[in-house]
């Protein structure tokens, strides 16, 4: 029998059928099993099976959301005993509250639209069935992570998300760049996961529990020392920094663009990279109890936002612009969480998922028509691809924070929290808002305006190529690809409606219902802060228009004028050189491997060879007494008896 644990809070408890919650998780698991067992050789059916399964999860996720809204976000847990280790009982359970409900809708709905888009983008690919199997596994892993009611279960799904992302990033494993990107993502995120594993072991050793509610109570009541809470929070943040690509573990995400573009839209815009922000939000009461952890989170977020935004300004690959934009916006969210802006951070995660998925799918539509992501080979596409252009423009305006689109409302809340807590961080966040508008509209003017430059010719002899269009004559993508763009444009415009009726009556009330003390996290709208962010965003758009459309000044002249900075940005602050050339190739391959070789030669082999030498020498000395003469053996026997008798009488004289 399951344990039904419902926590009655002032905000109320939602009425949710247990089967609905488990069906959300089970649907993509079933489609994954069916594809790997039976449907992998039937690619069309495999695609429809995944779409159906994720569609079921999406519908049921909205059912859960509406039930939680009625109860204003209070938690309910369905839990089964998983295993027992000594006095510790570990459950396999699902926790449903306002934060869970919002994330379920984000993950399932974006995934559903991405699966539909993939039917057009991946058509003809030899790995079509395998692609949808990996997509089902990823969606199931992410839904399990969101539903987990304890840290150990969360960690299991956390690692499954890492595995499935590895499979999807390296989907075209025949390409060396894709295989290298998959390995890089897996290794870098594992570095952060070591911190999360350490936090898991620490809370078990000191708190004796993995249950999220109980960990919250340990932090709130002060049952654990401030040192333990701080180290636990930092361990959790280390795991979040790996998945959410925070400085200095952000280097994997741009390379992950080697995977199919729908994968980028799903994993690296809406779900996987958002998992780190979700993790910090899930353990928000722990971070509230540690001022040191708050400082680390806010400043790492600020540094990440600035570093990624500056690199995005100089990128020529459209998808990499979006990748660095994602890193920058994730830094924005972490900055807000570090300043205790819980509602603002999750609100921005919510809106960002839709408009960034829209932008990534839009870039995929452009690539499908031009066979390239290089903006220098594009131009003039707004007439040739009107739907893609219009939806991409909506996503860019929302990302830039232009009123009244969704990004305006969520970005304003982050700036409002920064203004109230730390003016330096507010200034940094405002500067990032300016750069965001600049690099996004640089991308728009280079991609959609001016003269078309021909795209990338198709190598029709490449049997592994899935591109079948004519880049010399680009055209709008088919409806299977444009309909998801149109649908995603709706929340990119209107997701701010959650904020329109007053923040305490919208998304904030839903999200704070997931916290033990919800009434301490209400925020308000500030017209001055919103006005300043709008001014800098419009300024960024205007400068991009002047440089890349009107060409008041040539971008090459600006690069020459700011040459040292341009080189730093283009070389990505030399971090790839540091990690790959110095640490990986020099420190690890040369120095560390040489040290291990010496250790193996002189310590391991030395011990083995030394033991063998000692044994051989002792044997050589003893061998001389084995001469085969019976008289000698008899003499030794008599001598031994005499020695023993003498010893006995000496020890016990008469």
């Amino acid at each position: 029998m399951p344990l039904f644990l419902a926590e009655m809070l002032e905000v109320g408890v939602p009425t949710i059928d247990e089967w609905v919650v488990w069906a959300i998780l089970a649907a993509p698991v079933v489609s994954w099993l069916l594809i790997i067992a039976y449907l992998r050789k039937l690619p069309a059916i495999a695609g429809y099976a995944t779409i159906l399964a994720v569609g079921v999860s999406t519908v049921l996720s909205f059912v859960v959301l509406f039930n939680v809204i009625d109860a204003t976000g209070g938690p309910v847990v369905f839990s089964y005993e998983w295993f027992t280790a000594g006095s510790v009982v570990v459950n396999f359970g699902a926790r449903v509250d306002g934060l869970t409900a919002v994330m379920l809708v984000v993950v399932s709905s974006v995934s559903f639209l991405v699966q539909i888009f993939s039917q057009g983008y991946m058509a003809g690919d030899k790995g079509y069935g395998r692609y949808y199997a990996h997509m089902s596994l990823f969606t199931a892993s992410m839904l399990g992570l969101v539903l987990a009611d304890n840290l150990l279960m969360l960690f299991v799904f956390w690692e499954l998300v890492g595995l499935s992302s590895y499979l999807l990033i390296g989907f075209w494993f025949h390409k060396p760049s894709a295989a290298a990107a998959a390995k890089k993502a897996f290794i870098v995120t594992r570095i952060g996961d070591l911190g999360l594993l350490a936090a898991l072991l620490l809370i078990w050793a000191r708190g004796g529990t993995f249950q999220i509610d109980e960990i919250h109570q340990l932090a709130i009541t002060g049952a654990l020392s401030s040192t333990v809470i701080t180290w636990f929070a930092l361990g959790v943040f280390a795991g979040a920094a790996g998945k959410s690509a925070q400085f200095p573990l952000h280097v994997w995400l741009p390379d992950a663009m080697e995977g199919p573009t729908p994968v980028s839209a799903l994993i690296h815009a809406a779900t996987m990279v958002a998992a780190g922000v979700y993790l910090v939000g899930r353990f928000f009461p722990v971070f509230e109890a540690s001022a040191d952890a708050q400082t680390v989170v806010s400043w790492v977020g600020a540094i990440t936002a600035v570093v990624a935004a500056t690199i995005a300004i100089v990128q020529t690959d459209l998808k990499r612009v979006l990748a660095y934009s994602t890193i920058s916006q994730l830094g924005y969210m972490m900055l807000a969480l570090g300043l205790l802006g819980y509602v603002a951070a999750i609100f921005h995660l919510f809106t960002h998922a839709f408009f960034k998925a829209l932008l990534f799918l839009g870039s995929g539509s452009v690539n499908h028509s031009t066979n390239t992501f290089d903006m220098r080979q594009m131009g003039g596409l707004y007439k040739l691809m009107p739907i893609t252009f219009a939806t991409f423009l909506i996503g860019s305006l929302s990302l830039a924070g232009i009123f009244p689109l969704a990004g305006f409302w969520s970005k304003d809340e982050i700036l409002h929290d920064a203004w109230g807590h730390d003016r330096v961080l507010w200034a940094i966040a405002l500067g990032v808002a300016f750069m965001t508008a600049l690099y996004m509209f640089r991308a728009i003017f280079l991609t959609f305006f001016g003269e078309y430059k021909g795209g990338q010719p198709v190598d029709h002899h490449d049997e592994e190529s899935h591109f079948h269009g004519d880049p010399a004559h680009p055209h709008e993508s088919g409806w299977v690809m444009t309909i998801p763009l149109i649908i995603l444009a709706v929340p990119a415009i209107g997701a701010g409606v959650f904020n329109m009726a007053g923040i305490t009556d919208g998304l904030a009330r839903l999200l704070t219902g997931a916290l033990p003390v919800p009434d301490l996290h209400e925020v308000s709208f500030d017209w001055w802060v919103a006005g300043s962010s709008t001014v800098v965003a419009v300024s960024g758009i205007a400068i991009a228009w002047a440089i890349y459309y009107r060409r008041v000044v040539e971008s090459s002249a600006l690069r020459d004028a700011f040459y040292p900075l341009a080189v730093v940005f283009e070389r990505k602050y030399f971090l790839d050189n540091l990690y790959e050339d110095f640490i990986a190739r020099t420190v690890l391959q040369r120095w560390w491997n040489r040290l291990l070789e010496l250790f193996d030669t002189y310590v391991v082999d030395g011990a083995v060879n030394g033991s063998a030498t000692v044994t051989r020498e002792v044997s050589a000395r003893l061998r001389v007494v084995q001469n085969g003469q019976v008289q000698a053996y008899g003499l030794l026997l008599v001598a031994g008896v005499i020695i023993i008798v003498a010893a006995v009488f000496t020890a016990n004289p008469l």
Side-chain angles (χ1 to χ4, degrees), residues 5 50 59 136 154 171 250 345 348 389 437 450 456 459 544 562 585 607:
L5 306 174
T50 299
V59 172
S136 293
L154 187 151
F171 176 76
H250 66 284
H348 196 52
F389 166 68
Q456 178 67 40
D459 181 5
F562 298 96
R585 295 189 177 93

Side-chain angles (χ1 to χ4, degrees), residues 428-440:
I428 292 173
L430 196 65
V432 172
F434 167 78
M435 288 187 284
T436 301
L438 174 60
Y439 65 66
M440 282 310 305

Side-chain angles (χ1 to χ4, degrees), residues 362-392:
S363 72
S365 179
V366 170
N367 168 256
H368 196 261
S369 186
T370 63
N371 196 36
T372 184
F373 288 106
D374 190 341
M375 296 183 291
R376 295 169 297 184
Q377 298 181 24
M378 299 180 188
L381 295 177
Y382 79 96
K383 292 181 180 179
L384 303 172
M385 306 180 71
I387 297 176
T388 299
F389 166 68
T391 53
F392 198 94

